[in-house]
Amino acid sequence: MQNIGTKHSTHTKKYTITCLAAIAWKKNSLSLEKVEVEPPKAGEVRIKMTSTGICGSDDHTIKGIITVKYPFIPGHEGAGIVESTGEGVSSVQPGDKVLTLPVPQCRECSACLHPKGNFCEKQDLLPSSGLMLDGTSRFTCKGEKIYHCFRTSTFTEYTVVPEISVVKIDAAAPMDKICIMSCEVPTGYGAAVHSAQVTPGSTCVVFGLGGIGSAIVMGCKASGASRIIGVDINEEKFPRAKALGVTDVLNPSNLKKPVQEVVKEMTGIGVDFAFEAIGLTETMVAAWDSCNLSHGVCIITGVSAPNLQFSLSGQTVFTGRTLKGACLGDYKTKDCFPQLVTAYLQNKINIDPLITHQLPFDQLHKAFEVYHAGKTIRCVLLF
Ligand code: COD
Ligand code: ZN
């Protein structure tokens, strides 16, 4: 007789997969290696990656500006297809298109339970243990344990992530592009439209016109900002920034006075909204100083090197401005990222101009060369 009892499949495939992955063995050294990827344990998901972006934060982790454990597999901005799931996983199943979440959403911690919080206490970004939630790793190479990065590690053909760090997206999503919905778009576009809530007719300044800064510009433009000042030391970034909506550009290296003085002169008293998308304390202070004294809002999306501090004149705080950090656009990741994907599929957000380069995964070194040469907004690696 056929068993129609309560036992159900867990989709667990109990075998290790050997595949190609990028390993940072120590600071500033990245190599492609054959890696063993263990099957997912309970509450985990193994993903076959389809695309991953090269974000400034990946460069930060490889250089050790964001503290990580070596050797590790970098990468956090990823899209892929679920290969198998561990026991108890219910929100995704094999074959689902998914995004990796650099910050998870556990739905249980104080951040997740707060209506505005998104920096889930189960995150592994600041600080980074490099391990799964049970304190172990799913990667080995040449007999050595390899650490995870942000519990996402997307620079690999297969990765294992906690269920809270992955979300199912629309089956129609184009997998060669959609990976940027897992960091660049929410971090940048979200900082403008959701964290700052840029208002129509407002003035904005964006420090850094890389991937995140460009997505911020897109969000300011979509919100109806009348003036968007773009600041970057690399003038090669200016033409694309202008195409996205930047109205004025400034290269601080060519100015005779501090950039914040120039921004204040250009706008009378300072901008309504300032954004920092570089990760340097000097540019965080410059963004703050560029804001309108009474109602200016300064949003910091970058992370500086550990232990660096910045100081603000006490009097510039008293006048009423707001300083706010924003990780991933303050979006609750598991709830909101699929909605961003759907908005793209409905032509409400056009993310295509944010991707300037696409290369096969095994050309990772070339991709980093183009990134370091300052040629990219986003380079996406395809598997
Ligand atoms: N003044 C002006 N522009 C500068 C300066 C400077 N002193 N130094 C660098 N720049 C420009 C560069 O020319 C470049 O155009 C831009 O700043 C940086 O862009 P990218 O493309 O290198 O980096 P992004 O945009 O992908 O990432 C920027 C972040 C600020 C997000 C990142 O570097 C960071 O700080 N990450 C940590 C935050 C984090 O982890 N967020 C959540 C997951 S990513
Ligand atoms: Zn990122």
Side-chain angles (χ1 to χ4, degrees):
M1 191 178 138
Q2 202 182 343
N3 181 359
I4 52 166
T6 52
K7 196 174 167 220
H8 50 263
S9 159
T10 59
H11 303 295
T12 302
K13 295 181 188 170
K14 298 262 182 218
Y15 54 82
T16 294
I17 292 176
T18 302
C19 69
L20 197 64
I23 297 184
W25 290 100
K26 53 184 183 169
K27 276 186 193 180
N28 294 313
S29 106
L30 200 59
S31 60
L32 285 170
E33 309 279 359
K34 285 263 176 253
V35 168
E36 290 86 45
V37 183
E38 287 173 21
K41 290 190 181 173
E44 297 177 358
V45 179
R46 188 158 62 183
I47 305 167
K48 184 178 196 309
M49 300 308 302
T50 53
S51 62
T52 182
I54 293 185
C55 173
S57 301
D58 299 319
D59 193 48
H60 277 33
T61 57
I62 294 161
K63 287 180 175 154
I65 297 171
I66 294 176
T67 312
V68 288
K69 298 260 174 65
Y70 298 89
F72 75 102
I73 298 179
H76 60 282
E77 190 178 75
I81 312 244
V82 173
E83 180 268 343
S84 61
T85 58
E87 282 214 26
V89 169
S90 57
S91 63
V92 293
Q93 58 181 7
D96 282 349
K97 289 185 175 179
V98 290
L99 293 177
T100 54
L101 305 174
V103 170
Q105 186 183 350
C106 76
R107 302 187 198 282
E108 287 170 354
C109 72
S110 68
C112 287
L113 292 175
H114 190 278
K116 286 190 174 167
N118 82 330
F119 203 65
C120 174
E121 287 175 27
K122 300 227 170 78
Q123 58 83 25
D124 200 46
L125 202 166
L126 294 175
S128 170
S129 69
L131 297 169
M132 296 294 275
L133 288 161
D134 70 352
T136 62
S137 158
R138 299 293 160 269
F139 301 125
T140 47
C141 178
K142 298 173 190 163
E144 195 174 336
K145 172 167 89 175
I146 307 298
Y147 287 97
H148 295 243
C149 179
F150 306 168
R151 297 205 183 102
T152 49
S153 288
T154 57
F155 291 180
T156 169
E157 288 170 324
Y158 287 84
T159 191
V160 178
V161 305
E163 185 182 10
I164 58 173
S165 300
V166 63
V167 70
K168 181 180 174 174
I169 54 169
D170 196 310
M175 297 306 276
D176 57 334
K177 291 180 182 164
I178 212 69
C179 61
I180 66 169
M181 281 299 186
S182 112
C183 177
E184 182 184 14
V185 178
T187 301
Y189 182 84
V193 305
H194 188 240
S195 307
Q197 307 205 351
V198 167
T199 46
S202 60
T203 53
C204 302
V205 63
V206 182
F207 285 81
L209 297 172
I212 304 300
S214 300
I216 293 172
V217 169
M218 196 177 254
C220 294
K221 171 89 177 164
S223 304
S226 62
R227 195 164 187 192
I228 307 170
I229 303 168
V231 180
D232 205 294
I233 46 170
N234 177 1
E235 295 192 9
E236 275 191 63
K237 303 281 168 136
F238 292 165
R240 287 195 196 113
K242 285 181 182 164
L244 288 171
V246 161
T247 52
D248 309 78
V249 287
L250 293 173
N251 176 353
S253 323
N254 294 344
L255 299 174
K256 297 212 164 57
K257 42 181 131 172
V259 62
Q260 53 268 47
E261 299 292 322
V262 178
V263 173
K264 273 198 260 183
E265 281 170 16
M266 287 166 78
T267 52
I269 185 166
V271 291
D272 301 313
F273 300 96
F275 298 88
E276 200 278 349
I278 302 166
L280 297 174
T281 50
E282 329 54 296
T283 44
M284 293 175 189
V285 174
W288 170 256
D289 285 337
S290 303
C291 283
N292 182 296
L293 273 179
S294 71
H295 62 261
V297 174
C298 176
I299 304 277
I300 310 285
T301 65
V303 170
S304 70
N307 305 323
L308 284 186
Q309 311 216 328
F310 63 75
S311 62
L312 306 175
S313 142
Q315 296 198 345
T316 65
V317 183
F318 164 75
T319 57
R321 310 180 215 200
T322 305
L323 177 63
K324 195 188 158 350
C327 176
L328 297 163
D330 289 308
Y331 289 121
K332 287 183 185 291
T333 54
K334 210 154 163 147
D335 290 345
C336 299
F337 287 13
Q339 296 171 16
L340 287 172
V341 171
T342 305
Y344 170 60
L345 294 173
Q346 293 172 343
N347 294 318
K348 291 179 185 158
I349 317 173
N350 180 16
I351 63 169
D352 296 0
L354 297 174
I355 299 173
T356 52
H357 297 70
Q358 285 178 312
L359 284 170
F361 176 59
D362 61 7
Q363 290 191 36
L364 177 86
H365 286 101
K366 176 150 187 236
F368 267 97
E369 265 169 42
V370 198
Y371 167 78
H372 284 133
K375 307 278 181 206
T376 62
I377 291 183
R378 229 356 154 245
C379 179
V380 166
L381 297 168
L382 303 173
F383 292 85

